[in-house]
């Protein structure tokens, strides 16, 4: 298998697996902070129990996410050293801030939150979890500031002697409009993820008719958070799509399956299509007339064929006339529909679920509870396909318009070593995923009021023993 393909496969596999846990950690931390806030304000113990119970799921996701994040960062030096040489001055600063400030902030206050329930005042303990939640969001900010530069390079110049991109303004890096389009989309998607994981796990427990009051309350809370997150995510996604049409017309055309320039006063939006990548044509399609222009705000859009010509005129002098600017159209086209489709579906599910909970009917509808249980996977599908669009839509560059993927690979890496490490990473990720699922399921089975045998013995000896965490 080709060296470049193996390197991309490894980084893509690591990124997708890592991104299973990033939005989950951000969303769960935010949800737990809200639950503990409700406990402090309302003084209702069920909110404290909910914060503690779902906090353990958050801790599992945080631990696995940290491990996979470290593996991902190692790959910049292992497989992509030429990219690191070119971009090191740019992404080094935000990645350092993320590790030294945001990650250590999360880690410190997680420890204080876990072990501080009976050692600090309610207000101070609440501040700990909010600082954890803010830390997770700051981590996203610094990582996305580096990624946004790759999508839209700003605040830099090229050192002609070294051939490296050098940062001219750190604050200019933070003013990148791509950053402030990506960040809300990611954060709102994370809130949606946290809400639907809580709702789906609660649905599974309601199917088993265990701790019904607790999990009805949890499901209601999860669906409210999920509904808010889904609506905000759709709004942020729409704003990002409008910008993509301007910044990356090839990506936009591929996502919409447009090979030729749209004709007429208003462009239609294609729901499904049969795409022929060999002949660069759409054989058949089902479209909604004028909808793309209504959503995007433009009467017409360029197709991939026209954009390809424009890119060759702009970049042939630097990258050569044999550069292929066409993207994997089917992957981007269907990924966008999976992302948007599951996002819309989750919003509808949240509305239906909340209405049925209000009518006190949902806990008796087994088939629908199974749908909500399966819905645990929906935000992960939506998040993953969204990142596939973001990263694959930037080809053939790692840094848009400046540095190609082909030039980014480490020169000393061999196909054999990459194949071996791909197999090792796949097995490691499979193991970590199984650990996350097994321990989460085991914890869910125990429920929020499980008392271990050692704790039961302690309470039997000392009836005034403090409540165990």
């Amino acid at each position: 298998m080709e060296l470049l393909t193996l390197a991309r496969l490894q980084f893509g596999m690591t990124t997708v697996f890592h991104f299973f846990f990033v939005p989950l950690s951000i969303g769960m931390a935010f949800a737990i902070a809200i639950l503990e806030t409700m406990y402090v304000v309302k003084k209702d113990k069920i909110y404290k129990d909910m914060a503690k119970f779902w906090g353990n799921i958050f801790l599992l996701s945080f631990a696995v996410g940290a491990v996979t994040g470290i593996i991902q960062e190692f790959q910049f030096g292992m497989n992509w050293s030429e990219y690191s040489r070119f971009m090191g001055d740019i992404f080094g600063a935000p990645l350092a801030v993320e590790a030294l400030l945001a990650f250590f902030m999360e880690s410190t206050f997680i420890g204080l939150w876990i072990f501080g329930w009976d050692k600090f005042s309610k207000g101070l303990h609440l501040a700990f979890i909010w600082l954890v939640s803010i830390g997770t969001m700051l981590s996203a900010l610094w990582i996305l500031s580096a990624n946004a530069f790759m999508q839209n390079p700003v605040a830099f110049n090229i050192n002609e002697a070294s051939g490296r991109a050098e940062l001219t303004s750190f604050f200019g890096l933070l003013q990148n409009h791509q950053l402030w389009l990506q960040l809300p989309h990611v954060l709102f998607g994370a809130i949606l993820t946290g809400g639907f994981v809580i709702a789906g796990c609660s649905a599974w427990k309601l199917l088993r008719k265990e701790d019904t009051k607790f999990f009805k309350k949890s499901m209601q809370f999860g669906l409210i958070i999920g509904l808010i997150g889904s609506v905000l995510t759709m709004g942020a996604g729409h704003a990002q799509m409008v910008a993509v049409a301007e910044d990356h017309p090839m990506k936009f055309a591929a996502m919409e399956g447009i090979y030729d320039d749209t004709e007429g006063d208003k462009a239609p939006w294609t729901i499904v299509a049969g795409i022929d990548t060999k002949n660069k044509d759409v054989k058949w399609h089902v479209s909604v007339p004028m909808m793309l222009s209504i959503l995007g705000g433009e009467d017409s859009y360029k197709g991939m064929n026209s954009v390809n010509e424009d890119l060759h005129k702009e970049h042939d002098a630097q990258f050569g006339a044999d550069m292929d600017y066409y993207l994997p159209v089917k992957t981007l086209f269907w990924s966008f529909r999976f992302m948007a489709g599951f996002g819309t579906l989750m919003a509808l599910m949240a509305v239906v679920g909340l209405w049925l909970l209000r009518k006190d009917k949902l806990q008796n509808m087994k088939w629908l509870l199974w749908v909500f249980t399966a819905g645990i996977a929906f935000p992960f599908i939506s998040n993953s396909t969204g990142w596939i669009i973001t990263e694959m839509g930037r080809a053939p560059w790692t840094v848009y318009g400046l540095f190609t993927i082909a030039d980014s690979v480490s020169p000393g890496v061999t196909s054999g070593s990459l194949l071996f490490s791909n197999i090792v990473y796949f097995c490691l990720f499979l193991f970590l995923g199984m650990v996350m699922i097994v321990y989460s399921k085991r914890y869910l089975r125990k429920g929020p009021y499980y008392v271990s045998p050692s704790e039961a013995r302690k309470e039997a000896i000392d009836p005034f023993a403090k409540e165990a965490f």
Side-chain angles (χ1 to χ4, degrees):
M1 190 177 290
E2 187 181 340
L3 179 67
L4 180 59
T5 302
L6 285 169
R8 295 183 71 184
L9 174 63
Q10 185 174 115
F11 196 82
M13 176 174 59
T14 307
T15 300
V16 169
F17 188 78
H18 176 58
F19 203 66
F20 285 161
F21 302 99
V22 170
L24 178 58
S25 297
I26 296 172
M28 291 294 284
F30 180 74
I32 294 159
I34 292 178
L35 285 169
E36 190 169 348
T37 301
M38 295 171 72
Y39 164 64
V40 171
V41 172
K42 293 189 173 185
K43 298 181 173 55
D44 187 340
K45 186 175 176 296
I46 193 170
Y47 292 112
K48 179 181 180 181
D49 296 337
M50 289 166 67
K52 284 186 172 184
F53 181 79
W54 297 112
N56 283 273
I57 304 296
F58 160 66
L59 294 174
L60 284 169
S61 69
F62 181 83
V64 177
V67 172
T68 55
I70 292 170
I71 294 173
Q72 185 180 35
E73 292 198 5
F74 279 162
Q75 290 190 30
F76 289 126
M78 293 166 53
N79 301 337
W80 304 97
S81 61
E82 287 301 306
Y83 162 77
S84 298
R85 183 194 64 79
F86 179 79
M87 262 283 287
D89 191 67
I90 309 292
F91 76 63
L95 290 186
V97 174
E98 189 273 335
L100 297 174
L101 175 63
F103 181 73
F104 280 103
M105 178 180 173
E106 297 168 52
S107 304
T108 300
F109 289 107
I110 280 177
L112 290 170
W113 183 77
I114 293 171
F115 300 108
W117 281 98
D118 299 317
K119 297 177 177 63
F120 300 99
S121 66
K122 291 180 180 179
L124 184 57
H125 191 268
L126 174 62
F128 294 154
I129 190 60
W130 274 113
L131 287 169
V132 171
S133 179
I134 292 168
T136 62
M137 295 180 185
L138 287 175
S139 286
L141 168 67
W142 299 119
I143 296 298
L144 289 174
S145 65
N147 186 269
F149 180 89
M150 295 163 67
Q151 309 292 336
N152 179 53
V154 296
F156 76 101
N157 60 32
I158 300 296
N159 186 318
E160 297 296 338
S162 63
R164 299 174 69 242
E166 296 181 349
L167 188 64
T168 58
S169 169
F170 183 75
F171 291 103
L173 190 68
L174 296 178
Q175 292 172 356
N176 192 339
H177 71 272
Q178 275 289 334
L179 170 61
W180 299 106
L181 291 167
Q182 287 184 1
L183 183 63
H185 200 182
V186 169
L187 294 184
F188 296 149
I191 292 171
L192 166 63
T193 302
F196 260 79
V197 167
I198 291 173
C201 292
S202 299
W204 185 71
K205 291 294 284 186
L206 289 175
L207 278 165
R208 299 166 64 88
K209 300 188 182 301
E210 297 173 351
D211 300 303
T212 304
K213 179 182 177 182
F214 179 92
F215 286 106
K216 278 181 66 179
K217 194 81 170 177
S218 289
M219 188 167 187
Q220 181 184 44
F221 173 77
L223 289 177
I224 291 172
I225 293 293
L227 179 59
I228 293 170
S230 63
V231 172
L232 293 175
T233 301
M234 286 189 282
H238 171 72
Q240 191 171 1
M241 281 303 304
V242 172
V244 165
E246 179 69 25
D247 294 344
H248 298 164
M250 181 64 84
K251 180 195 293 187
F252 183 85
M255 290 166 56
E256 298 300 339
I258 303 172
Y259 273 108
D260 299 314
D261 297 353
T262 57
E263 299 177 356
D265 295 333
K266 299 290 182 181
W269 181 69
T270 303
I271 302 173
V272 293
I275 299 171
D276 182 356
T277 54
K278 182 178 180 180
N279 297 308
K280 295 180 173 48
D281 189 23
V282 176
K283 295 299 183 182
W284 59 268
H285 61 87
V286 178
S287 303
V288 180
M290 301 188 295
M291 183 57 68
L292 185 59
S293 291
I294 293 171
L295 292 173
E298 299 291 339
D299 288 341
S300 61
Y301 291 93
K302 281 192 171 185
M304 284 176 276
N305 295 328
S306 294
V307 176
N308 181 59
E309 293 177 6
D310 294 342
L311 289 172
H312 273 289
K313 291 176 184 177
E314 183 179 356
H315 296 291
D316 275 2
Q318 182 178 359
F319 297 106
D322 58 344
M323 181 68 74
D324 183 10
Y325 294 107
Y326 284 99
L327 298 172
V329 183
K330 291 182 180 179
T331 300
L332 295 181
F333 180 85
W334 290 110
S335 291
F336 178 72
R337 276 140 192 81
F338 271 91
M339 178 187 68
F342 276 104
T344 304
L345 176 61
M346 285 184 282
L348 294 173
M349 287 173 63
V351 171
V352 172
L354 288 169
W355 182 77
L356 290 173
L357 281 171
R358 184 179 177 84
K359 296 290 185 179
D360 201 31
K361 294 180 178 180
L362 183 59
Q363 67 272 20
N364 299 318
M365 302 175 68
K366 287 188 175 183
W367 69 271
L368 193 53
L369 289 174
W370 277 117
V371 171
F372 277 102
T373 302
I376 294 172
F378 295 172
F380 296 100
I381 295 171
S382 194
N383 289 332
S384 297
T385 50
W387 267 110
I388 288 170
I389 294 168
T390 299
E391 297 307 292
M392 294 190 72
R394 195 175 56 247
W397 295 289
T398 45
V399 184
Y400 192 81
L402 294 179
F403 203 67
T404 67
I405 297 171
D407 291 332
S408 301
V409 183
S410 300
V413 177
T414 65
S415 297
S417 64
L418 270 174
L419 180 60
F420 176 75
S421 57
N422 266 288
I423 295 170
V424 170
Y425 283 158
F426 178 81
C427 294
L428 175 62
F429 295 152
L430 184 63
F431 171 75
L432 289 173
M434 290 175 63
V435 167
M436 178 71 188
I437 293 171
V438 168
Y439 275 91
S440 296
K441 189 175 180 180
R442 182 180 299 178
Y443 189 74
L444 283 170
R445 283 184 181 277
K446 290 179 178 179
Y449 304 115
Y450 171 79
V451 178
S452 68
S454 60
E455 290 169 348
R457 287 193 298 270
K458 181 179 178 181
E459 291 180 3
I461 296 170
D462 181 7
F464 301 103
K466 288 183 178 180
E467 176 187 354
F469 174 63

